[in-house]
């Protein structure tokens, strides 16, 4: 079963965001998916835009590219701060992360 099937999000557009208030700065996310996550000089992780721009606004989201879905999900699962949230764009329901149902 694919990650998409497991989450019930086959064909759904997903986005990811990081709660910097909970970020521990371990950098696991940037190791798994450096195209999506980056540590800034403040030691916290942020998402990056599709144009590789660091998005530092609180609650900033970025699309999850399908080829990187597994890496983004693994980042959320392994994050010691439990601060990575992956949700469906259509209804903003969290499918991976601390608030996933």
């Amino acid at each position: 079963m694919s990650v998409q099937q497991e989450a019930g999000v086959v064909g759904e557009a997903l986005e990811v965001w990081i709660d910097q208030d909970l970020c521990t700065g371990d950098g696991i996310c940037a190791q798994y998916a450096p195209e999506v996550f980056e540590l800034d000089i403040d030691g916290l992780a942020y998402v990056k835009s599709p144009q590789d721009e660091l998005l530092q606004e609180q609650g900033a989201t970025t699309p999850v590219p399908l080829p990187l879905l597994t890496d983004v999900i693994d980042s959320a699962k392994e994050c010691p701060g439990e601060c990575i949230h992956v949700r469906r764009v259509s209804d903003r329901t969290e499918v991976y992360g601390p608030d996933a149902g």
Side-chain angles (χ1 to χ4, degrees):
M1 182 180 300
S2 75
V3 170
Q4 284 186 295
Q5 290 167 328
E6 177 184 309
V9 295
V10 175
E12 292 268 3
L14 300 176
E15 62 187 3
V16 60
W17 65 281
I18 294 177
D19 183 344
Q20 279 78 28
D21 291 338
L22 299 176
C23 180
T24 59
D26 284 84
I28 290 171
C29 56
Q31 291 175 12
Y32 275 108
E35 304 89 347
V36 176
F37 305 107
E38 184 176 318
L39 290 178
D40 197 16
I41 57 172
D42 63 4
L44 300 178
Y46 294 86
V47 295
K48 299 190 318 188
S49 74
Q51 293 76 33
D52 206 35
E53 174 189 354
L54 201 62
L55 303 176
Q56 295 176 296
E57 309 84 44
Q58 184 72 15
T61 64
T62 196
V64 177
L66 187 55
L68 299 175
L69 179 60
T70 300
D71 294 334
V72 170
I73 299 309
D74 288 345
S75 297
K77 288 180 178 179
E78 298 296 323
C79 176
E82 297 186 348
C83 64
I84 300 173
H85 303 263
V86 180
R87 65 186 177 201
R88 284 192 300 259
V89 172
S90 61
D91 62 5
R92 300 175 62 94
T93 298
E94 188 159 319
V95 292
Y96 285 102
D99 299 332

